Amino acid sequence: MKAAILKKPKEIIIKDIPEPEYGDNEILINIKEVGLCGSDVHYYNTGRIGDFIVEKPIILGHESSGIIAEVGKNVKGLKVGDRVTIEPGVPCYSCNYCKKGDYNLCPNIRFMATPPYDGAFVEYVAYDPNFVYKLPSNVSFTSGALIEPLSVGYSASKRAKIGPGDKVLILGSGPIAISILEITKTFGASRIYITDINDFRLEIAKKHGAYKTINIRKQDIFKELEDIKIDSVIEASGVESSIINSIKLVKPEGTVVWVGMGKDDIEIPYSKLTSKDLTVEGIFRYRNTYPSIISLLEEKKVNIEDIATHYFKLDEIDKAFNVANNPNADKMKIIIRI
Amino acid sequence: MKAAILKKPKEIIIKDIPEPEYGDNEILINIKEVGLCGSDVHYYNTGRIGDFIVEKPIILGHESSGIIAEVGKNVKGLKVGDRVTIEPGVPCYSCNYCKKGDYNLCPNIRFMATPPYDGAFVEYVAYDPNFVYKLPSNVSFTSGALIEPLSVGYSASKRAKIGPGDKVLILGSGPIAISILEITKTFGASRIYITDINDFRLEIAKKHGAYKTINIRKQDIFKELEDIKIDSVIEASGVESSIINSIKLVKPEGTVVWVGMGKDDIEIPYSKLTSKDLTVEGIFRYRNTYPSIISLLEEKKVNIEDIATHYFKLDEIDKAFNVANNPNADKMKIIIRI
Amino acid sequence: MKAAILKKPKEIIIKDIPEPEYGDNEILINIKEVGLCGSDVHYYNTGRIGDFIVEKPIILGHESSGIIAEVGKNVKGLKVGDRVTIEPGVPCYSCNYCKKGDYNLCPNIRFMATPPYDGAFVEYVAYDPNFVYKLPSNVSFTSGALIEPLSVGYSASKRAKIGPGDKVLILGSGPIAISILEITKTFGASRIYITDINDFRLEIAKKHGAYKTINIRKQDIFKELEDIKIDSVIEASGVESSIINSIKLVKPEGTVVWVGMGKDDIEIPYSKLTSKDLTVEGIFRYRNTYPSIISLLEEKKVNIEDIATHYFKLDEIDKAFNVANNPNADKMKIIIRI
Amino acid sequence: MKAAILKKPKEIIIKDIPEPEYGDNEILINIKEVGLCGSDVHYYNTGRIGDFIVEKPIILGHESSGIIAEVGKNVKGLKVGDRVTIEPGVPCYSCNYCKKGDYNLCPNIRFMATPPYDGAFVEYVAYDPNFVYKLPSNVSFTSGALIEPLSVGYSASKRAKIGPGDKVLILGSGPIAISILEITKTFGASRIYITDINDFRLEIAKKHGAYKTINIRKQDIFKELEDIKIDSVIEASGVESSIINSIKLVKPEGTVVWVGMGKDDIEIPYSKLTSKDLTVEGIFRYRNTYPSIISLLEEKKVNIEDIATHYFKLDEIDKAFNVANNPNADKMKIIIRI
């Protein structure tokens, strides 16, 4: 089968490798669509994210959907031909985090496309069926793959404690930010303000229901939000100035959620954070989100498919990374079709 | 000014009474629209609800909106001519419940149309401005009056712990149930099942976004909901069999919310409640809901105006109670226009 | 090895059976002490609890501690000779309840001494090491066995939302009630009121820190608690009148927790429950409690050992059930030493 | 009456001023004891804290207790001679924060000893009786005054989400830290680790039940806490390095609470905060804590009186500030007796 293998930074090759073996408790999935995530681009460009370092060739990609090709003999509830989405982390099941259901913090989790574990830019993947979910017939493979960023949105919105009638500010308008926006609406936010430096992206945010878009290159965000009581700010850009502003722009007693991957160390307005009685939530992945999001997609409470602005085949993956790295390209989500 | 005064059960008269005095810290409101609530009908029919007994003539009505006619000299933030809605309870501010913000439980609360306090079926009301809220220009007096039942819906949905993707069952399809339905959607419920014995009401529920309506006279609710994992049940009918069913129909670990006023004593399936690890929430009014609901109405996340099926003038209030008491009338919400 | 086998109601025999096989992922535990629980007595007397029916001979006992005798080859973190306590339910790990950490609701859980699963009145048990915990050297086998009822106490106290300074009422003074009392103190309750009809038990409650004991045969509980704002009531007797009183005795907005196994159907004061805005929590077992309780025992924040009033050997188990069934016996917890 | 008036930094004088008038809804309190708080010392030394600037002479002191000297004619529930403690902030009652019970964030709060409002280093204070609480006869004036720092401890412990069996790290061992320690115990912490650079203070922490004290001048805190899963860290020193360490020392998914007043801007390990999925809580004062703490003091669940190491008379207040400013003095809490 064909696989896209990152040999070293900026060098990705398409190679034939053997199909994976699948155990009695596993299924084999024929991957159909995989989203290109910012972390994939980061590994492609630099070979590392924080403490995770690409030390041997790796298959990237962790936002994926596909069709079940084979089913291990002990597996129940799934069958060959089922259209499915894959939750990309499989935890150990037995540590204290797992037993409490907080498996995103399992120290032994095997997370796709995070060294040393391979991901989904490949034709077939053997997987634990407990983390594979059937897609309703009206949910496309693209939407199925994007349940992964929507899960980040779900986790962020929940930690932001958003309730009906709240005013929410999302900083950044990339694919994660739009995923957050879509989910934030389902938590009842009545007005969602969103920022970026790119009008193409802000236009998409507007179509997805943002109450007001702010291009921070052209507009003064503090002036635009003057006198607005922002209940929660979700920072989804990872940009230092934006992380700092998140604390300044939220109302006293509000909640600030930091989703964006940023620099190791950042100087924050500490005394504002305490004198405003704020809660700050750092987000690491998500847990127990897939069934809820599938239900929201099925009932059309969430619409995400149209954020896919570019589709490439597996053997065009180089092009996909080039578009991703081109700051002048009008792009939102890039999908690899396999 | 004219007032509708309940002299004794079934006897309501329109009478001229003096306009109320308003203090330096109060405002005078010219009432425009008032919803007829089930509790008004109960007092009209029987002169009492539980421990609350009508012992002297009373003005009913507590779902109201109007225009500010006069403003006391110490009042800030409101002015003559403002279109407003009235939150019908004014608490004491100083008991422990009030200090914690749980003012719906204030033992000294003065609640409109609850003996001995008069309500809003009258031309002018003097009121505490802290519990009066401006209506956005795109929110009608009808919607403004119905923020009161929507508040019950907000409180019930919050206590039901509804989150995006949840499946919710609402028992009953009266005005409170539709208010709950509208708010439940804003909490992210992906599928809302709703019941009644009246197709006219179920039809309205359908228009308001119910996923499935069940006429329990014609359909077997246990069969209709077989294999459906209901995350939360909100009982809004007060009917004994329905209160019992709420415990049977929710999933293990689910939440049951009892909104409906029912009999003093009811035999419930106790061992089911414990062996399913359930949470049951009894709802008494609401608190701190008006600003959020006004924002939801302004942004059209909630639509309630069209549940008003009948409008009457103040001096037709007898007719209004007759319609309310007619079991064969196709009706949802009755509004008194003053 | 020797086992105590319940053949039919009131007929328990000591029999030699083969030692259990243990798998590569299991351990073999030499049971040392097992508490006799109310449910054991119920099965012994009647052969059933609710839907759980003893249809073939069963080994009872699920409050146990022991020493590891053998360790499967894949097991890590435990070794032969470790003193341990056993959490008596092993869930399926893969249902939605398990993935969320709410494994007490796993529909596939294998719970000791609940038909058809055998329990711990036996010399050796093969078990999943994920639900076996090492005992600190200063925690006895008796205390280790009693982490099970303490777990019910932990779950009840948490669901009761007890915080420092709260006034709590516990209805009943049996072993579960004393377990609740001990844990309730660690949640910060400043005053704990407790009831029973038995002075011997109330005396033990007093020694464990109850602020006030009430013998409801001799005292009028409503008079004794007049003007006391009880924040939470935990019902631990299962007696109908007590379940009804739990709703009457809690303050408005308070929490009522129902732990006690009671009749299938009970007539409750429904309108009080709603007009007081109450939360009622039905408790089914517990989850994720063992590590915390072990830490509390180790640091002597919880003391439970002295509630063991009677010890019997395995082949005296008939006597143990006789004492349990004797209403005139001064008893609290009965322990079987193996 | 005599008052201690801060005229400018480092210049405090004792002056005769008129007794305050008290309104019909107020009481007059004869102040007995007042704790000297770090913020008092800060105003004394520099004339400002953040945006709060001493622009005209001010009376400091906000941790106070006393005896009621006069009662306004509308006041109920309090009488002349009552021993009381004063909660030092009186909010506006009518903003949205107040209505929700979150009055610590009321923008119009009148907080004692925060410019421009006078405090309690004075013989008599006129006050709103809603924020004055009777002291039980077994609670001393010293303990009564120290309910204020205990309230910070209550708020911090609650926001830290401490539950029974948790391991907690408190950074710093000053009076606020010991107050946190005392309250943290009531939330059920099984092991409390605490740090300082001063052995005198660590010794007091030990006496108050700290499991382990760490002198960070002499010991390597990372080594001392190696392999310890700290559930919550409460930072109570305001020292930059300690604020940074709070994020490093907590377990993944843990909670960090920042109580200490620190520099305006601090460089924090941002990517650790997000990759560990942390919650950070900034604490600004407290709300609704006094009744609970009084109950805890009355039942001796909390002991705070013995942290008072120095007592001075009002006209010795200069000496009190000198001791507070002397880095070599062995001191914990300084109390002014009036």
Side-chain angles (χ1 to χ4, degrees), chain D residues 258-270:
Chain D
W258 288 338
V259 176
M261 281 188 218
K263 289 179 11 180
D264 279 359
D265 298 285
I266 291 180
E267 193 179 74
I268 61 160
Y270 172 84

Side-chain angles (χ1 to χ4, degrees), chain B residues 44 108 131 148 151 154 170 178 219 297 304 333:
Chain B
Y44 174 83
N108 309 308
F131 290 87
E148 206 277 343
S151 291
Y154 201 103
I170 299 171
I178 305 296
Q219 293 162 284
L297 286 167
I304 197 67
K333 192 75 197 178

Side-chain angles (χ1 to χ4, degrees), chain C residues 21-34:
Chain C
E21 311 269 322
Y22 61 95
D24 292 347
N25 299 307
E26 288 186 308
I27 56 175
L28 189 72
I29 302 163
N30 179 199
I31 302 296
K32 285 294 175 190
E33 297 196 13
V34 190

Side-chain angles (χ1 to χ4, degrees), chain C residues 263-302:
Chain C
K263 291 180 9 181
D264 279 359
D265 298 286
I266 291 180
E267 194 179 75
I268 61 160
Y270 172 84
S271 65
K272 276 222 162 29
L273 191 158
T274 55
S275 68
K276 287 170 80 172
D277 212 45
L278 301 184
T279 299
V280 176
E281 304 278 354
I283 299 293
F284 184 67
R285 295 173 183 162
Y286 46 80
R287 58 187 178 235
N288 297 303
T289 53
Y290 272 63
S292 296
I293 295 170
I294 290 169
S295 184
L296 291 168
L297 286 167
E298 185 177 14
E299 301 305 327
K300 303 197 178 308
K301 310 287 188 187
V302 159

Side-chain angles (χ1 to χ4, degrees), chain B residues 97 102 252-253 260 270 277 279 284, chain C residues 97 102 252-253 260 270 277 284:
Chain B
Y97 287 111
D102 304 346
E253 195 184 38
Y270 172 83
D277 212 44
T279 299
F284 183 68
Chain C
Y97 288 111
D102 304 346
E253 196 185 37
Y270 172 84
D277 212 45
F284 184 67

Side-chain angles (χ1 to χ4, degrees), chain A residues 97 100 102 104-105 159 229 243 251-253 258 260 262-271 273-284 287, chain D residues 97 100 102 104-105 159 229 243 251-253 258 260 262-271 273-284 287:
Chain A
Y97 288 111
K100 281 194 297 173
D102 304 345
N104 58 319
L105 296 164
R159 297 273 293 275
K229 274 203 162 181
I243 290 163
K251 72 169 188 187
E253 196 183 38
W258 288 339
K263 292 179 7 182
D264 279 0
D265 298 286
I266 290 180
E267 194 180 74
I268 61 159
Y270 173 83
S271 65
L273 192 158
T274 54
S275 67
K276 288 171 79 174
D277 212 44
L278 300 184
T279 299
V280 176
E281 303 278 355
I283 300 294
F284 184 68
R287 58 186 178 237
Chain D
Y97 287 111
K100 281 195 296 173
D102 304 345
N104 58 319
L105 296 162
R159 297 273 293 277
K229 276 203 161 183
I243 291 163
K251 72 170 187 185
E253 195 184 38
W258 288 338
K263 289 179 11 180
D264 279 359
D265 298 285
I266 291 180
E267 193 179 74
I268 61 160
Y270 172 84
S271 65
L273 191 159
T274 55
S275 67
K276 287 170 81 172
D277 212 44
L278 300 184
T279 299
V280 176
E281 303 279 353
I283 299 293
F284 183 67
R287 57 187 178 237

Side-chain angles (χ1 to χ4, degrees), chain A residues 49-151:
Chain A
I49 294 178
D51 297 339
F52 294 108
I53 301 167
V54 178
E55 287 174 335
K56 57 188 178 65
I58 190 171
I59 300 173
L60 296 173
H62 63 271
E63 306 173 356
S64 64
S65 58
I67 293 174
I68 297 183
E70 304 285 351
V71 174
K73 69 179 182 188
N74 298 335
V75 174
K76 283 169 189 159
L78 291 172
K79 61 178 193 306
V80 172
D82 281 346
R83 300 169 64 253
V84 295
T85 178
I86 303 174
E87 183 173 348
V90 176
C92 79
Y93 292 98
S94 58
C95 69
N96 277 338
Y97 288 111
C98 282
K99 283 162 76 178
K100 281 194 297 173
D102 304 345
Y103 59 77
N104 58 319
L105 296 164
C106 170
N108 310 308
I109 199 167
R110 300 168 56 95
F111 202 91
M112 278 187 153
T114 298
Y117 304 110
D118 281 329
F121 291 144
V122 63
E123 284 183 276
Y124 291 94
V125 162
Y127 215 74
D128 181 336
N130 290 333
F131 291 88
V132 173
Y133 308 84
K134 273 195 232 184
L135 290 175
S137 59
N138 69 343
V139 177
S140 69
F141 285 124
T142 299
S143 294
L146 297 180
I147 294 171
E148 207 277 343
L150 286 169
S151 291

